[in-house]
């Protein structure tokens, strides 16, 4: 194990001891195997390479204040992978197999879970790919399910500090009735150019609008968007928005705190009315939004240079549950 500077970790890949994998062959999943091999050996005609039969998940394990390991809402990630696989006509692991693989890989790499107090965590990446060889456009007859882990720090270097966002009306992340509602690699490939253009202008995140009308807020980079106004937590609902497990959790916590929760189409014009805004997802948890630039409308919406009070409360509540500082009243954690 290399000497890791836990408090200065970025969000990138660091090799750990092993990963866990299994194959779907002959109508069943094979037993889970643990390997130190970081490579995947596959046929050159595998459907994941040619026809995009690929889905993945992202979740985290935390070293709590009490020294225990907590894995956050793995069952919900399993359910989302199943939904992604069904849409792409893939064979997915059931919830029990998914959770078993996650627990096995976390325990096998326990020494890579960052110590409590560093602000870092162990990122868990389950991956499902079609490995059966096909030349015609049809589903594979063989699939691989793999889970690897790596210790990570904040997704944005600034940590829990407001980021500046730019609206991109020229590119679409996903289309209505397409794959925006499932977690597949093609959605992220479609965002690379737009993200790079945003970064080149000094914006760490890009906001996408709906592909049909360019009127409603879709996603904010690789994260869901939310706004706070008049005691309400407001977040987009659309067939092209990925149902974020972090957002799902924040909606529950917001309701617990007495906020009204609205999940509905959010007109881009509403940006002018929000008291606070943020992007939320597994990687960043919550990234408060300091400003949103709409270059084609020549408008900038500003929300402050510090995180708003409700964003702070939500962030502290969620992180408190993940690190064992607050009671897990909803039963979200797997405690090892």
């Amino acid at each position: 194990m290399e000497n890791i500077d836990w408090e200065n970790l970025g969000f990138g890949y660091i090799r750990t001891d092993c990963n866990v994998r299994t194959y779907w062959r002959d109508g069943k999943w094979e037993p889970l195997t643990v390997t130190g091999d970081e490579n995947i050996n596959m046929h050159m005609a595998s459907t994941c390479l040619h026809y995009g039969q690929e889905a993945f998940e992202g979740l985290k394990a935390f070293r709590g204040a009490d020294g225990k390991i907590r894995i956050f809402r793995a069952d919900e990630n399993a359910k989302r992978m199943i939904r992604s696989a069904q849409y792409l006509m893939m064979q997915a692991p059931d919830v029990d197999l998914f959770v078993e693989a996650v627990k096995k890989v976390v325990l096998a790499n326990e020494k890579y879970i960052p110590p409590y107090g560093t602000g870092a965590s162990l990122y868990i990446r389950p991956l499902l790919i079609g490995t059966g060889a096909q030349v015609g456009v049809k589903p594979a007859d063989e699939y691989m399910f793999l889970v690897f882990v790596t210790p990570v720090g904040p997704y944005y270097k600034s940590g829990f500090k407001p980021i500046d966002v730019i609206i991109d009306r020229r590119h679409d992340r996903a289309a209505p009735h397409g794959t925006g509602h499932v977690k597949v690699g093609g959605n992220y490939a479609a965002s690379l150019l737009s993200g790079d253009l945003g970064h080149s202008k000094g914006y760490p995140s890009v906001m996408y609008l709906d592909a049909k009308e360019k009127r409603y807020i879709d996603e904010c980079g690789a994260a869901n968007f939310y706004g706070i106004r008049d005691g309400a937590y407001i977040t987009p609902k659309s067939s092209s928005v990925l149902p974020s497990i972090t957002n799902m959790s924040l909606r529950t916590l917001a309701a617990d705190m007495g906020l009204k929760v609205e999940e509905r189409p959010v007109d881009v014009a509403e940006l002018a009315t929000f008291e606070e805004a943020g992007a939320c997802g597994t990687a960043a948890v919550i990234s408060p939004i300091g400003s949103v630039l709409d270059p084609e409308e020549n408008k900038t919406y500003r929300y402050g240079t510090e995180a708003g009070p409700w964003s702070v409360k939500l962030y502290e509540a969620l992180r408190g549950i993940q690190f064992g500082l607050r009671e897990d009243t909803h039963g979200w954690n797997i405690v090892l």
Side-chain angles (χ1 to χ4, degrees):
M1 178 177 174
E2 61 186 280
N3 186 23
I4 299 175
D5 183 358
W6 300 110
E7 295 186 357
N8 292 295
L9 279 175
F11 197 90
Y13 178 75
I14 295 174
R15 179 172 183 163
T16 56
D17 287 343
C18 57
N19 59 81
V20 173
R21 55 182 73 179
T22 178
Y23 285 90
W24 169 270
R25 294 180 175 129
D26 301 322
K28 64 180 183 299
W29 287 105
E30 297 177 352
L32 291 170
T33 60
V34 180
T35 176
D37 190 354
E38 296 176 283
N39 300 306
I40 298 172
N41 184 25
M42 70 174 72
H43 196 283
M44 61 185 176
S46 294
T47 59
C48 66
L49 299 177
H50 298 268
Y51 304 125
Q53 277 201 302
E54 182 270 356
F56 70 98
E57 280 297 322
L59 62 157
K60 287 179 177 178
F62 305 85
R63 179 76 67 182
D66 55 5
K68 295 179 180 179
I69 302 166
R70 288 172 171 80
I71 304 171
F72 189 70
R73 305 201 76 172
D75 58 329
E76 291 297 336
N77 289 94
K79 295 172 188 175
R80 191 169 66 181
M81 176 168 273
I82 290 169
R83 294 194 298 270
S84 297
Q86 289 172 339
Y87 197 79
L88 297 187
M89 296 189 69
M90 303 171 71
Q91 179 64 47
D94 63 21
V95 173
D96 289 341
L97 178 58
F98 184 102
V99 172
E100 179 188 357
V102 167
K103 293 195 307 190
K104 185 181 285 288
V105 75
V106 168
L107 289 172
N109 293 286
E110 180 177 353
K111 65 185 179 183
Y112 291 95
I113 302 175
Y116 172 74
T118 60
S121 57
L122 187 72
Y123 186 77
I124 306 165
R125 171 54 60 85
L127 175 67
L128 180 66
I129 57 174
T131 51
Q134 296 285 1
V135 175
V137 183
K138 56 184 177 179
D141 56 5
E142 177 185 290
Y143 296 91
M144 180 185 196
F145 174 57
L146 178 150
V147 188
F148 69 84
V149 297
T150 189
V152 297
Y155 188 74
Y156 294 110
K157 292 180 180 179
S158 59
F160 187 63
K161 294 289 184 182
I163 60 170
D164 294 321
V165 175
I166 186 170
I167 295 175
D168 186 349
R169 296 173 181 268
R170 300 184 180 184
H171 300 94
D172 296 320
R173 171 192 154 272
H177 312 300
T179 59
H181 66 294
V182 292
K183 197 168 179 68
V184 298
N187 296 341
Y188 296 83
S191 72
L192 290 175
L193 175 60
S194 181
D196 187 64
L197 291 171
H199 291 156
S200 70
K201 296 176 181 178
Y203 292 87
S205 186
V206 172
M207 179 177 288
Y208 299 97
L209 305 182
D210 74 286
K212 183 178 181 180
E213 297 183 68
K214 297 295 182 181
R215 174 182 172 183
Y216 298 101
I217 298 172
D218 192 2
E219 289 212 334
C220 196
N224 278 191
F225 172 85
Y226 71 85
I228 305 289
R229 183 183 67 225
D230 299 330
Y233 178 98
I234 303 165
T235 192
K237 183 175 181 63
S238 164
S239 61
S240 57
V241 170
L242 179 71
S244 162
I245 293 162
T246 302
N247 196 351
M248 181 196 309
S249 305
L250 291 174
R251 294 197 302 272
T252 299
L253 294 175
D256 289 347
M257 294 175 184
L259 287 170
K260 180 183 177 183
V261 175
E262 299 179 15
E263 189 182 7
R264 57 169 175 77
V266 179
D267 196 302
V268 67
E270 291 188 59
L271 287 172
T273 70
F274 292 131
E275 300 153 20
E276 303 177 34
C280 59
T282 296
V285 186
I286 289 179
S287 292
I289 293 175
S291 70
V292 178
L293 170 65
D294 189 340
E296 293 196 17
E297 297 292 326
N298 195 28
K299 294 179 180 178
T300 300
Y301 307 96
R302 302 189 186 279
Y303 306 104
T305 57
E306 297 294 331
W310 283 112
S311 294
V312 171
K313 289 178 183 178
L314 290 165
Y315 178 81
E316 290 180 346
L318 186 58
R319 297 288 276 175
I321 293 168
Q322 292 172 334
F323 283 104
L325 297 170
R326 298 194 181 201
E327 185 180 358
D328 181 14
T329 57
H330 298 287
W332 289 339
N333 289 318
I334 296 173
V335 183
L336 303 178

